[in-house]
Amino acid sequence: INDVEHLACDVLVIGAGGAGLRAAVEARLAGKSVIVISKSLFGKAHTVMAEGGAAAAMGNVNSNDNWQVHFRDTMRGGKFLNNYRMAEIHAQEAPDRIWELETYGALFDRTADGKISQRNFGGHEYPRLAHVGDRTGLELIRTLQQKLVSLQQDDEAAGESEDKLQVIDETTITELFTDGGAVKGAFGYRRSTGRFIAIAAPAIVLATGGIGRSFKVTSNSWEYTGDGHALAMRAGAKLINMEFIQFHPTGMVWPPSVRGILVTESVRGDGGILKNSEGKRFMFDYIPEVFKAQYADNPEEADRWYTDPDTNRRPPELLPRDEVARAINSEVKAGRGTEHGGVYLDIASRRDAETIRKKLPSMYHQFKELADVDITAEPMEVGPTCHYIMGGIEVDADTTASAVAGLFAAGEVSGGMHGSNRLGGNSLSDLLVFGKRAGEYAAEHASASEPPKLTDAEIAAAAEEALRPFGNDGENPYALQNAMQAINGRLVGIIRKAGELEEALTELATLKERIANVSAGGGRAYNPGWHLALDLRNMYVCSVATAMAALERDESRGGHTREDAPGMNPEWRKVNLVASLDGEDVRLTRQAVPTMTPGLLGLFETTELSKYMTPEEYQSSSTEQE
Ligand code: FAD
């Protein structure tokens, strides 16, 4: 405990994905000293894996596109449970954030006339995703990293200390320090040595991404254990909408070692279709009532749409993700799945080999190398995989501030923006838009704050907690993670029921004590067992929050499907479920979803609103409009 590395800065950014890096850039541009921490190697965050692109209504490919259409699509995708103000800011600011990336050195794919090209994606009315082949996230991270380096070089040229913008990777934050309801710093350890680190900061941005590792079949990599969600709760912030988890419809299902790895939606955006084991293109059977007006009900019209989107409706393979995932699940359950329990995704019979290799280079290599499948010649086998959590830290839409003073959140760890279901491509734009705002407002908060002081006692307590697994002679962390994944996969997965959710909560409760008793052998250097032991308590509170909210919300909406409560209930549309910690226990309360302004309501037809809202809501909106 004597050997703790002490650091201080104005703005501490936890997480070096797109949201964290964009926040760091903004806070440094505002003149603040910044430290960015990442659990994995610098440059290896989820953001780097994003394939499809970033949604922004630039109107480059179809000039009918604009922020209002993007806003509408986002609200529809989220089934109107979104924080409307976040969706509005996001739709308005995304194009500027994309352009700005080019000024930082990014280079997106181009249209024939030299504009940033945009591709089709599920739920987006027009081609909207700015992309770099199917490696968009890589370009985004590369560019933001380059921007950080250029800011460091500017500092050096101006004779500023190197400490003004530091990146510390392979370091996990395990605690936030608070005082009087405000954050004042964080505690963690360097993964390679196990050495502790304590950072004093009056403003902290959480940008830690998602929770996917609580499920066995997931597109998420090892570090996504809900750390930011749990850190925020323990500091006194609230999580909203934790029941809404996105199961991406197309993960690899075979071989077992790669089960869950993502197959980008661009395959469908670029012409791929879904078929069952009988060879039937089944998505036409699964177009829900609310989407009938926008989706083709026959293959001829669906195919015409690729070249003539103005007079034809879109293919049903491009329905929002929740709809497609449920449809695949139903086909497999009905015995029409593939040999390995998925369905077929076929682009080979639809596009020539050269086009496929050019537009989907990563997918081509992924299947060739991991599954020995040539996607230009044969179909892929795919099935749903846990991909993204819509739920997260409740934040103020404009400033990204949480309920705890000085604590901000952006990117996947925050909640509200995507309502009950996120549209593909809306995450990369989300993290640019709100990452920037988080950096801006965190810097502002730091300017108005005194530099905080951390006490020896609080650092010692955090260190003791982190070392606890070494003193235990108890459970194996991997066994506990497997047990939690099994509970979540079996009872809190894509289709849920009250009885099973109750069972999940009972089973999770038995894990609580076992997790408190988790043990780690070996030393502190390079010890993944110890690291997982510390992650487990985060995964646990997130899992409990999800199961509790899923039990409470007895309707089906977006990323939450209750077999025993099918269909959306307009009364539930008005409710956010809020999870907070009461001591160590998760507490769930209800809170009203913010009511859309009349101006924004006016962007929708009353007939559409009537599918989601109570008559009082949409009638009052139409009266206000007149
Ligand atoms: P991340 O990029 O997930 O970064 C989180 C950071 O936090 C990492 O640096 C991590 O190491 C760090 N961290 C976590 N816990 C701690 C801790 N305790 N201490 C310190 N650091 C910590 N979205 C799109 O819009 N378009 C796409 O095409 C797309 N494709 C995707 C493909 C894949 C395979 C996946 C998995 C996701 C995809 N998404 C896509 C979703 C999108 O990539 C993510 O939601 C988004 O990148 C999240 O960004 P973020 O900045 O919030 O967090």
Side-chain angles (χ1 to χ4, degrees), residues 121-240:
F121 236 55
H124 293 281
E125 187 164 344
Y126 298 117
R128 189 175 286 148
L129 269 65
H131 58 275
V132 184
D134 56 4
R135 296 176 179 146
T136 313
L138 179 64
E139 182 71 350
L140 199 145
I141 285 284
R142 185 195 67 75
T143 305
L144 288 171
Q145 285 182 329
Q146 182 179 314
K147 181 69 180 171
L148 285 193
V149 171
S150 84
L151 289 172
Q152 285 171 328
Q153 287 169 343
D154 289 350
D155 282 345
E156 203 181 313
E160 290 275 13
S161 145
E162 284 178 6
D163 298 348
K164 284 281 175 182
L165 180 49
Q166 292 184 68
V167 177
I168 302 176
D169 71 352
E170 293 209 89
T171 296
T172 303
I173 296 298
T174 57
E175 301 284 349
L176 297 181
F177 297 122
T178 56
D179 192 2
V183 285
K184 61 173 190 167
F187 178 90
Y189 62 90
R190 290 195 183 254
R191 299 175 70 84
S192 57
T193 59
R195 191 179 177 203
F196 291 134
I197 181 166
I199 307 161
I204 296 182
V205 176
L206 284 170
T208 50
I211 55 94
R213 278 285 147 180
S214 303
F215 288 80
K216 193 164 221 82
V217 180
T218 177
S219 64
N220 287 196
S221 62
W222 60 269
E223 73 248 50
Y224 295 96
T225 50
D227 297 1
H229 291 81
L231 287 167
M233 273 221 270
R234 288 204 291 273
K238 296 170 187 163
L239 306 184
I240 56 169

Side-chain angles (χ1 to χ4, degrees), residues 13-157:
V13 179
I14 305 174
L21 294 186
R22 188 62 192 82
V25 166
E26 202 62 21
R28 183 69 201 106
L29 286 172
K32 299 294 143 199
S33 63
V34 178
I35 294 176
V36 186
I37 306 266
S38 86
K39 194 166 164 178
S40 48
L41 285 167
F42 192 44
K44 201 217 121 306
H46 262 163
T47 303
V48 85
M49 295 157 81
E51 294 156 356
M58 294 186 283
N60 290 351
V61 173
N62 189 323
S63 58
N64 291 326
D65 204 10
N66 56 44
W67 77 261
Q68 287 93 338
V69 187
H70 192 181
F71 170 79
R72 267 202 314 250
D73 290 344
T74 302
M75 295 300 293
R76 283 176 185 145
K79 310 284 190 302
F80 283 74
L81 195 99
N82 318 51
N83 176 315
Y84 77 85
R85 176 69 183 142
M86 290 178 90
E88 180 186 23
I89 292 172
H90 167 258
Q92 286 172 337
E93 295 183 358
D96 283 351
R97 295 288 80 78
I98 297 291
W99 276 119
E100 183 177 67
L101 274 189
E102 289 225 328
T103 71
Y104 293 175
L107 193 56
F108 288 94
D109 287 355
R110 287 306 204 247
T111 60
D113 54 353
K115 294 178 183 159
I116 291 178
S117 178
Q118 303 191 268
R119 68 158 44 114
N120 285 307
F121 236 55
H124 293 281
E125 187 164 344
Y126 298 117
R128 189 175 286 148
L129 269 65
H131 58 275
V132 184
D134 56 4
R135 296 176 179 146
T136 313
L138 179 64
E139 182 71 350
L140 199 145
I141 285 284
R142 185 195 67 75
T143 305
L144 288 171
Q145 285 182 329
Q146 182 179 314
K147 181 69 180 171
L148 285 193
V149 171
S150 84
L151 289 172
Q152 285 171 328
Q153 287 169 343
D154 289 350
D155 282 345
E156 203 181 313

Side-chain angles (χ1 to χ4, degrees), residues 9 55 87 134 228 256 276 288 294 318-319 325 333 399 432 496 504 524 530 547 558 580 584:
C9 62
D134 56 4
N276 63 21
Q294 290 117 17
L318 292 180
L319 275 159
K333 262 199 166 163
T399 63
L432 291 172
R496 301 161 174 174
R524 277 165 60 181
W530 174 43
S580 54
E584 290 203 343

